[in-house]
Amino acid sequence: MNMPRPFNVLITSLSSKVPLIREVRKAVNKYDADGWVFGADCNSACIGRYFVDEFWEMPPINGLDPEEIVRFCRAGDIRAIIPTRDGELPFFAENKRRFNANGIAVMIASPGGVHTCLDKMKFFDSLNKKHSLSPIATISHPDPDSGGRWVVKERFGSGSKHIQLDLSVEAARSSLSHFENPVCQPFIEGPEFSVDLYIAQNRAPKGCVVRTRDVVIHGESQVTTTTERPDIEKTCLEAAAAIGLTGHALFQIIEDNNGALNLLECNCRFGGASSLSVAAGLDSFYWFFRECQGDALSDIPYVSSPNGWRQIRYAEDKVVQVK
C-alpha cells in the first residue's frame, strides 16, 4: 500500500527571516502535519538554519543550474519553493515552468511581472499608462530648473538601499554618482502604507490587507498597524492586475497632503512585516499550498480581520541544547 507523500517546502535565502519561517511552518502544519520545512542559503552560518527541519548550503544563485535545485527537491520530496530575496526572484520566475514540470511549485509571479516590479523605471512606465493609477514620477535625473525636493535611490531591487531623502535639485544631481543605477523621485511628505495581497493563479484577487508604517528602520516597518482603507486596497489590486501579478505581493504607497495616493514600488515576495497581514486573515502560504495541489481558492473562505492588529518587531533569543 502506497503511503501519501508528505508536503515538504523549501525556503530559499533564509538569512535571518525567522518570522517568515514561522508563518511557513504554520501553513505547512495546517495543510499537512507531517510536512517538513527545508531551508537554503549560501551562508552556512545564517540564523535561519536553526529554525528549519533541514538546512541546505545552496550555491550562490548566479550561475546555479536549476537542475541542481530539482535534484535536491527530489531527494527531499519537496513539493514547493518559496523564494524570499529580490536578487533571486528573476531566476525562479524564469525557471518556474521547469520546476513545475518536475512537480515543484514556486511561489513567484511571471517573469514579466517580476522584472516590472524590480525595475522602478519600468514600474512607473507600466502603471503611468493607466489613468486610474498614480505611480510616483520616476526619472533618471531632475532638470536643474525643476525645483522642489527629491529622493534618489537605486533603480533595481528594494528602494531602501542607500536611499537619500529630501534633497535639493543640486544635491540630488550631485548624489547620482554614488549609485549604480540611480533614479529620482519627488519627495512627498505624508503617511506611508504597506499593502499585502494575494492573487490566485487564475488572476482573481483573494485578499488584501493595508497597514500603516508607524516606525520604519532601514526600510522595514518595525511597528505597523492594520487599517481599513478600501481606496488603497482598490488602487493596489488594480496595479497588481495591470502588472499581471500572481501569488503574494507587497506594495508601498504614500498619501500626500492632498489625499492623493502615490504608488512607490511593489515587491513580488513576502515582506519583513507581512506576518501581521497573515494574523489579519491573509493566509498567503496556505493558499499557495492549496493551489499547488490544484484546489480552487474560491472554495476556501477568506476571513478578514483588518482592524485592531499591531505588530512590533523585536529581537529575541532561541536557546537549544548542543548535542
Side-chain angles (χ1 to χ4, degrees):
M1 179 177 178
N2 293 328
M3 298 295 291
R5 294 170 58 201
F7 192 87
N8 297 334
V9 177
L10 172 65
I11 306 171
T12 59
S13 292
L14 275 183
S15 185
S16 56
K17 304 181 181 88
V18 177
L20 181 150
I21 298 169
R22 286 175 172 165
E23 294 301 337
V24 172
R25 185 177 296 281
K26 288 178 189 175
V28 169
N29 290 341
K30 182 177 178 179
Y31 187 73
D32 179 2
D34 295 323
W36 275 30
V37 177
F38 288 69
D41 200 287
C42 62
N43 176 14
S44 62
C46 74
I47 297 299
R49 71 173 299 162
Y50 299 102
F51 294 84
V52 296
D53 297 310
E54 187 168 321
F55 176 75
W56 175 33
E57 186 180 352
M58 191 174 84
I61 208 73
N62 293 336
L64 179 63
D65 185 349
E67 190 59 33
E68 190 168 353
I69 298 178
V70 171
R71 285 195 295 269
F72 179 82
C73 289
R74 283 177 173 169
D77 209 6
I78 291 167
R79 316 273 286 282
I81 298 175
I82 299 174
T84 69
R85 181 176 60 87
D86 286 344
E88 67 183 0
L89 298 185
F91 171 87
F92 282 104
E94 290 159 8
N95 290 286
K96 183 176 181 177
R97 290 185 177 179
R98 184 170 181 177
F99 291 122
N100 285 343
N102 285 276
I104 306 162
V106 185
M107 192 175 181
I108 192 69
S110 67
V114 168
H115 285 292
T116 296
C117 291
L118 289 175
D119 183 342
K120 294 173 184 61
M121 192 76 76
K122 192 172 183 179
F123 179 78
F124 168 71
D125 290 339
S126 175
L127 297 182
N128 195 42
K129 299 174 183 177
K130 306 288 288 186
H131 297 299
S132 59
L133 299 174
S134 299
I136 192 165
T138 303
I139 57 178
S140 58
H141 57 275
D143 187 284
D145 301 321
S146 60
R149 309 295 292 182
W150 293 88
V151 173
V152 181
K153 59 177 68 171
E154 290 289 355
R155 174 175 175 174
F156 301 100
S158 297
S160 60
K161 184 181 179 182
H162 309 311
I163 188 171
Q164 295 191 26
L165 302 168
D166 196 12
L167 303 177
S168 66
V169 175
E170 294 77 13
R173 290 175 66 85
S174 65
S175 72
L176 297 178
S177 61
H178 301 297
F179 293 79
E180 293 181 20
N181 295 283
V183 290
C184 300
Q185 298 172 337
F187 176 72
I188 297 175
E189 291 188 276
E192 292 187 44
F193 301 87
S194 291
V195 184
D196 290 293
L197 52 83
Y198 190 90
I199 308 295
Q201 293 302 308
N202 64 0
R203 303 292 176 90
K206 181 60 181 176
C208 184
V209 175
V210 181
R211 46 190 176 85
T212 58
R213 291 162 60 84
D214 307 326
V215 178
V216 179
I217 300 176
H218 302 309
E220 288 195 349
S221 299
Q222 300 302 303
V223 180
T224 181
T225 307
T226 58
T227 183
E228 285 196 81
R229 287 292 301 267
D231 56 335
I232 294 179
E233 287 188 28
K234 181 175 182 292
T235 294
C236 292
L237 289 172
E238 286 183 2
I243 298 171
L245 299 180
T246 56
H248 188 100
L250 171 61
F251 281 87
Q252 305 292 352
I253 201 165
I254 188 168
E255 186 175 24
D256 64 25
N257 293 330
N258 297 317
L261 302 176
N262 299 269
L263 286 159
L264 298 177
E265 63 178 51
C266 176
N267 298 318
C268 299
R269 56 172 172 76
F270 200 80
S274 295
S275 50
L276 177 61
S277 294
V278 178
L282 196 79
D283 212 353
S284 293
F285 294 125
Y286 178 69
W287 292 336
F288 167 60
F289 299 155
R290 292 291 297 267
E291 286 199 292
C292 287
Q293 301 306 298
D295 296 336
L297 294 190
S298 57
D299 298 331
I300 305 170
Y302 168 43
V303 183
S304 176
S305 177
N307 279 336
W309 294 96
R310 174 170 292 159
Q311 177 173 283
I312 301 94
R313 306 191 75 203
Y314 63 97
E316 62 175 301
D317 299 329
K318 179 182 177 72
V319 179
V320 298
Q321 186 174 15
V322 180
K323 297 179 181 180

